Amino acid sequence: MTILVTGGAGFIGANFIRYWLDAHPLDRVVCLDKLTYAGNLSTLRPLLGRENFRFVRGDICDRDAVDALFEEERPGVVVNFAAESHVDRSIEDPGVFLRTNVLGAGVLMDACRKFGARRFHQVSTDEVYGDLPLDRPDLLFSETTPIHASSPYSASKASADLLALAYFRTYGLPVTISRCSNNYGPYQFPEKLIPLMIANALADRELPVYGTGENVRDWLYVEDHCRAIDAILSGGRPGEIFNVGGHNEMRNIDIVRLILRRLGKPESLIRFVADRKGHDLRYAIDPAKIHAELGWLPETRFEDGIARTVDWYLENRGWWEEIVSGEYRNYYERMYGGR
Ligand code: NAD
Ligand code: TYD
């Protein structure tokens, strides 16, 4: 079987490709990635020589290139990770989010129809549900929670979900959708909370915490997300949405303090900065459906996963220092200079 993984040079896609080649060594994996600022081919370098792995640089919005790749590879399954994924960047410049996250998903689904893929899986996010209040811990996102996106990023992801469901209903395209909570683990680009705080702490730079740091995210180790997608591909019914999360809600400030403690750095590095516009207060996933229907449960406890992640960033400084020294720095100045 050939599986096409788009966005596989990014954080979750790269972890997924490694996971898939281990779990399904007889499959062929083709990765299509544009290598935007967030894509890093060095993450996939160890796989590049393998016979059952192919990397193709390309844009999911480029219909001719996508069709040509489908014609050549005839993927049975397509998993779409390719996206602009950073909320702060979407607030700065929404246009590219609409292009990649909505139009790109549409181009891939058209190719799936044209070349007869037996599954299109859209990797979505819990952010499509908007946020939950901080003082109602009883409330969780279920698959029937109405879509209520807050940022241009989450609105673009919600749009792709609606398009996928419309392709299922209208054309019978066998789509599935996963809506996962915040991921953490190796190879995450150091603009997202956890790797940014680790990198800054190691360099004795300030740790910029938005607002009061009381916003809550529901963290899942990236490998558990990969296993959830595998479970959906093998057992999930087409047309269905699956929420993915591990009941692991944490306040941002507590994550930042935990990272500082683990690195033996002082809390005086924390700096509270102006809040993100439209900042979602709390995300919390109810994963009852994927557990009941597909038997999926997370395997990594947060204490273990965060320790492993901090150690990974310590042992793989070359990977992220290369990133931090590049284009990322200009972005960093724009985002935090004068804040
Ligand atoms: P990422 O930003 O690390 O990686 C995105 C990848 O997509 C990069 O390799 C980039 O080069 C590629 N890409 C961007 N535009 C492209 C285009 N037009 N054509 C081809 N490739 C393109 O993102 P991530 O954190 O790995 O997230 C992957 C997916 O999972 C996204 O769809 C995101 O919405 C979703 N998601 C992420 C999280 C999270 O916590 N990171 C949680 C839930 C869902
Ligand atoms: P992020 O990793 O950008 O993920 P998302 O916004 O998609 O959940 O941010 C996680 C949380 O951390 C979010 O509440 C915003 C906050 N945050 C900071 O406080 N400081 C930062 O520098 C960043 C990047 C995020």
Side-chain angles (χ1 to χ4, degrees):
M1 199 270 284
T2 295
I3 175 168
L4 175 65
V5 178
T6 65
F11 164 46
I12 308 176
N15 277 283
F16 181 80
I17 289 174
R18 286 161 175 269
Y19 162 85
W20 195 271
L21 286 170
D22 273 352
H24 307 274
L26 299 180
D27 284 353
R28 172 172 170 78
V29 176
V30 177
C31 171
L32 173 65
D33 197 297
K34 188 179 177 183
L35 295 182
T36 67
Y37 81 93
N40 193 346
L41 196 52
S42 79
T43 309
L44 298 173
R45 200 174 288 142
L47 308 176
L48 291 174
R50 283 173 73 147
E51 236 173 45
N52 60 343
F53 176 71
R54 177 181 176 200
F55 177 81
V56 178
R57 185 171 193 179
D59 186 338
I60 60 165
C61 302
D62 181 344
R63 197 174 285 278
D64 292 341
V66 166
D67 279 4
L69 185 62
F70 271 70
E71 173 128 54
E72 191 184 347
E73 293 285 353
R74 302 274 166 177
V77 170
V78 177
V79 182
N80 182 29
F81 291 95
E84 288 292 332
S85 69
H86 190 37
V87 173
D88 291 321
R89 285 181 186 258
S90 83
I91 294 168
E92 264 207 327
D93 182 11
V96 67
F97 285 73
L98 304 187
R99 185 177 176 276
T100 290
N101 298 4
V102 189
L103 297 178
V107 167
L108 290 172
M109 284 188 268
D110 284 338
C112 285
R113 286 180 60 215
K114 193 165 165 187
F115 296 95
R118 69 166 190 279
R119 178 68 65 88
F120 174 79
H121 183 77
Q122 173 65 8
V123 181
S124 186
T125 164
D126 61 353
E127 301 194 26
V128 301
Y129 300 120
D131 63 353
L132 295 164
L134 293 175
D135 60 356
R136 288 289 308 273
D138 55 312
L139 295 180
L140 304 174
F141 295 136
S142 79
E143 289 80 359
T144 54
T145 300
I147 282 190
H148 200 265
S150 312
S151 70
Y153 162 68
S154 52
S156 70
K157 294 297 291 184
S159 305
D161 288 9
L162 294 177
L163 197 62
L165 294 173
Y167 271 51
F168 172 70
R169 167 94 186 233
T170 305
Y171 305 117
L173 185 73
V175 308
T176 40
I177 296 172
S178 52
R179 292 180 177 156
C180 190
S181 59
N182 286 63
N183 284 213
Y184 69 100
Y187 301 111
Q188 187 166 28
F189 193 86
E191 68 181 352
K192 304 284 173 68
L193 180 74
I194 289 178
L196 176 72
M197 297 301 160
I198 296 172
N200 280 16
L202 286 173
D204 295 311
R205 289 175 67 164
E206 283 178 341
L207 274 52
V209 174
Y210 299 166
T212 59
E214 278 163 27
N215 302 61
V216 168
R217 297 293 183 264
D218 187 357
W219 295 94
L220 186 74
Y221 193 62
V222 62
E223 209 175 282
D224 282 326
H225 186 188
C226 297
R227 281 193 309 102
I229 294 171
D230 192 354
I232 295 168
L233 290 177
S234 59
R237 271 175 298 128
E240 292 293 311
I241 298 166
F242 294 90
N243 282 357
V244 182
H247 291 297
N248 185 51
E249 292 177 52
M250 305 266 301
R251 297 189 313 166
N252 294 339
I253 188 66
D254 295 330
I255 299 247
V256 170
R257 289 198 176 117
L258 199 154
I259 290 170
L260 286 171
R261 270 202 306 281
R262 191 142 184 107
L263 292 174
K265 298 286 182 177
E267 289 197 8
S268 56
L269 285 175
I270 296 174
R271 189 160 79 88
F272 292 96
V273 301
D275 211 351
R276 173 187 279 173
K277 291 190 182 82
H279 196 173
D280 281 336
L281 290 173
R282 171 177 165 250
Y283 303 145
I285 279 279
D286 177 0
K289 177 176 172 180
I290 189 167
H291 177 52
E293 291 191 13
L294 305 176
W296 176 89
L297 277 176
E299 285 178 1
T300 303
R301 292 183 321 153
F302 186 75
E303 306 86 271
D304 301 332
I306 194 73
R308 224 184 288 165
T309 302
V310 172
D311 289 349
W312 187 89
Y313 279 87
L314 280 169
E315 287 156 16
N316 293 274
R317 289 182 84 121
W319 182 86
W320 56 267
E321 279 176 352
E322 214 175 88
I323 293 172
V324 171
S325 64
E327 193 267 328
Y328 177 76
R329 179 149 284 156
N330 306 329
Y331 162 76
Y332 193 93
E333 289 309 324
R334 277 207 316 284
M335 191 55 64
Y336 296 108
R339 189 160 186 164

